[in-house]
Amino acid sequence: MTKTIMITGATDGIGFETAKVIAAQGHTLLLHGRSAQKLEDTAAQIANIPGAGKVHTYRADLTDLSAVRAMANEIKNGFEAIDVLINNAGVFVTSHPITADGYDTRFIVNAVAPYLLTKLLLPMFSSTGRVVNLSSAAQSPVQLDDFLNKRSFSDNAAYAQSKLALTMWSAELGQELDANGPSIIAVNPASFLGSKMVKDAYGQSGKDLQIGADILTRAALSEEFADASGRYYDNDRKAFAQPHPDALDSAKNKRVVEAVEHLIS
């Protein structure tokens, strides 16, 4: 049975490779990107894959939460239901580390925007749906007060904290939804894959992006992830694993969710 699957950050890197794999299975794809031209080029390439289903595109700058809301409304106006959301879009090194509202760009794009998009689209999911959040092996304690008070971070600190924040709200929301679904799953696709983000940050070509595309496809569609809500999969270990200890602390997870809810409200 074909599904309706949304992928953020689908115009390059792991998101693009994942879209190609999923398209070949005939699923309907909702592709997000920031550049209109790249979205158009991506949609054309995906649509030309043998067996590809329908392809729809959505343009939004995830540093702007009003744009996230507008995109969610556009999706809800076009579809009655969605089966899978892959929150893949992410930022590490950027020439604009602070958003127009004064917050760290990495926190907003990597943790806050996917939370907002997920919450806005929740009514479209059935209990068998899935939200796959692109986490990372880089996780460090979240300095919520510094973030909310608009203090600056280094690239590494902002990225690692934002990815732990994403992992923490994934665990909390997964537990909150429980059997009512959709499943909320955090996935480290593997370290140092050859994305533009890794090349910009480390000057390395990185490992085959197909490693990340394969695990995101499995997390989105395979039975091995059917009962994985609230869990963390580490593709460096090729197994479900323990995330940073903070993500195992329900009280800390709740504080992250409360902070994000306060910000988006």
Side-chain angles (χ1 to χ4, degrees):
M1 180 180 296
T2 59
K3 297 181 181 292
T4 300
I5 300 172
M6 179 171 191
I7 306 174
T8 67
T11 58
D12 58 32
I14 301 170
F16 179 57
E17 295 302 321
T18 302
K20 290 195 293 185
V21 174
I22 291 175
Q25 300 178 24
H27 300 291
T28 297
L29 281 173
L30 285 57
L31 305 180
H32 155 266
R34 188 175 58 179
S35 162
Q37 186 60 58
K38 289 182 72 173
L39 263 176
E40 183 180 337
D41 293 343
T42 297
Q45 292 180 65
I46 297 299
N48 282 329
I49 292 173
K54 293 183 179 179
V55 179
H56 304 263
T57 59
Y58 300 87
R59 180 175 175 269
D61 180 350
L62 299 188
T63 67
D64 179 359
L65 297 182
S66 66
V68 176
R69 291 186 175 91
M71 178 170 66
N73 286 334
E74 187 179 355
I75 293 166
K76 286 189 277 190
N77 288 335
F79 292 87
E80 293 184 358
I82 187 171
D83 298 294
V84 180
L85 167 62
I86 302 177
N87 283 311
N88 162 76
V91 179
F92 191 155
V93 176
T94 173
S95 57
H96 301 286
I98 304 299
T99 70
D101 293 326
Y103 295 101
D104 187 282
T105 295
R106 281 65 59 98
F107 272 93
I108 296 298
V109 174
N110 298 350
V112 178
Y115 178 87
L116 176 59
L117 182 60
T118 299
K119 289 299 291 284
L120 291 171
L121 296 182
L122 272 183
M124 300 181 70
F125 284 93
S126 73
S127 60
T128 60
R130 296 183 195 178
V131 176
V132 180
N133 289 330
L134 202 76
S135 184
S136 171
Q139 300 176 16
S140 64
V142 183
Q143 299 171 30
L144 278 176
D145 289 341
D146 287 346
F147 166 60
L148 293 174
N149 288 318
K150 302 183 179 180
R151 298 192 177 115
S152 61
F153 296 83
S154 69
D155 293 334
N156 284 305
Y159 183 79
Q161 290 184 48
S162 67
K163 286 300 185 180
L164 179 56
L166 175 76
T167 306
M168 293 172 79
W169 75 245
S170 299
E172 183 61 23
L173 188 57
Q175 182 176 6
E176 176 187 329
L177 293 173
D178 196 23
N180 295 318
S183 296
I184 313 291
I185 308 160
V187 176
N188 165 31
S191 299
F192 297 105
L193 298 181
S195 63
K196 181 178 182 297
M197 185 168 63
V198 166
K199 293 173 184 175
D200 289 347
Y202 300 106
Q204 300 178 10
S205 58
K207 295 182 288 188
D208 187 359
L209 285 173
Q210 196 61 44
I211 296 170
D214 288 345
I215 190 57
L216 291 187
T217 302
R218 283 166 51 201
L221 297 169
S222 75
E223 282 303 310
E224 68 183 298
F225 286 83
D227 299 312
S229 192
R231 300 180 69 185
Y232 169 72
Y233 188 92
D234 183 355
N235 205 30
D236 288 327
R237 304 182 188 182
K238 308 296 183 188
F240 288 100
Q242 300 287 8
H244 187 283
D246 282 5
L248 303 175
D249 187 323
S250 181
K252 289 183 177 180
N253 291 345
K254 282 182 169 64
R255 285 198 290 274
V256 167
V257 170
E258 288 168 359
V260 175
E261 286 280 1
H262 173 73
L263 190 151
I264 65 177
S265 65

